[in-house]
Amino acid sequence: QVQLVESGGGSVQAGGSQKLSCTGPEHIFRRCELGWYRQAPQKDREMVSKSSTDGTTTYADFARGRFTTSRDNDNKLLSLQMNNLQPEDTARYYCGALCDWGGFWSQGTQITVSS
């Protein structure tokens, strides 16, 4: 069973920053698209950013300019730096891997932004 382990998260005031990290098996980092996703109450899970194996990263419109994803395959680390957080960013955040043989999720971590 693939394990993606996430760390970080918590509560922050509007305008603040948070950083999330995700690690997992080396073959996942070498062979799979990795991404950050979030799900707010009563809403569908949505993509925050996704990073291909060559490092190309795509951001959702709401994330562009505020959030930065970095991927380090050698150290098996995917990070999400979130700046200028707003109450509408409150959600449970997940890292996910999309591989040729299946998809996998971390356990998720809550980010709560207060105004």
Side-chain angles (χ1 to χ4, degrees):
Q1 182 177 353
V2 172
Q3 285 190 317
L4 295 174
V5 180
E6 190 175 344
S7 60
S11 298
V12 65
Q13 290 192 325
S17 299
Q18 284 278 356
K19 185 174 182 177
L20 302 178
S21 298
C22 178
T23 190
E26 181 177 359
H27 69 281
I28 294 292
F29 276 76
R30 295 292 182 193
R31 299 171 61 186
C32 306
E33 177 186 275
L34 300 174
W36 291 100
Y37 299 79
R38 70 183 189 183
Q39 187 167 19
Q42 285 89 51
K43 291 190 176 181
D44 292 335
R45 190 171 298 189
E46 61 181 349
M47 186 270 287
V48 176
S49 66
K50 53 184 179 180
S51 174
S52 62
T53 53
D54 67 1
T56 302
T57 302
T58 302
Y59 293 93
D61 287 345
F62 65 80
R64 197 172 297 114
R66 297 189 300 134
F67 297 0
T68 302
T69 289
S70 60
R71 176 173 179 160
D72 183 344
N73 290 338
D74 291 337
N75 291 297
K76 302 176 292 180
L77 189 65
L78 182 74
S79 299
L80 178 66
Q81 175 67 46
M82 299 180 286
N83 298 326
N84 191 24
L85 285 162
Q86 299 301 315
E88 54 266 33
D89 294 315
T90 294
R92 192 165 185 86
Y93 285 71
Y94 300 84
C95 68
L98 179 60
C99 311
D100 290 342
W101 62 94
F104 309 94
W105 295 103
S106 68
Q107 77 279 15
T109 189
Q110 181 69 31
I111 296 288
T112 301
V113 186
S114 58
S115 57

